[in-house]
Amino acid sequence: VQLQASGGGLVQAGGSLRLSCAVSGSTFSINDMGWYRQAPGKERELVARITSGSSTNYADSVKGRFTISRDNAKNMVYLQMSSLKPEDTAVYYCKADGVKLSFWHAGYDYWGQGTQVTVSS
């Protein structure tokens, strides 16, 4: 199982970006999926998370600006980012929790490789 994140880049403040993350490999089920970010010199933090039933939660700093969604049939998770601010600059990582390869599989968590988002002022 591998996670491949894409869609990062350089954008001006107030702009938008859409991140995508594809889960490759044969999976039976995936529990929560989420996006995290890590800015230079800071710890990795949760940005947004979505359950298999599409319940969502967001960091206070992105509420109203970011929207997380998922396509269970395609094993994809997305992060629509709007009204971007310079403080949103970070490497964004996707994560899949409780990935089961079969009904009897214990389930493991996987991280993507990260995609850089840079917001200029």
Side-chain angles (χ1 to χ4, degrees), residues 81-104:
M81 304 185 294
S82 303
S83 302
L84 283 161
K85 305 175 181 180
E87 51 264 43
D88 294 318
T89 295
V91 177
Y92 283 69
Y93 298 89
C94 56
K95 184 171 182 264
D97 293 339
V99 180
K100 299 183 69 173
L101 306 184
S102 69
F103 178 82
W104 300 273

Side-chain angles (χ1 to χ4, degrees), residues 9-72:
L10 174 63
V11 64
Q12 288 189 333
S16 299
L17 281 174
R18 187 187 192 220
L19 305 183
S20 300
C21 179
V23 180
S24 63
S26 179
T27 61
F28 175 76
S29 64
I30 301 173
N31 286 344
D32 294 358
M33 300 184 79
W35 289 95
Y36 294 72
R37 67 187 181 187
Q38 187 167 18
K42 294 187 177 181
E43 293 187 353
R44 191 173 297 187
E45 62 176 0
L46 173 69
V47 176
R49 184 162 50 207
I50 184 167
T51 69
S52 58
S54 295
S55 295
T56 59
N57 67 287
Y58 297 90
D60 288 343
S61 60
V62 307
K63 281 181 181 176
R65 300 189 297 122
F66 291 9
T67 301
I68 189 171
S69 61
R70 66 189 283 175
D71 185 331
N72 290 330

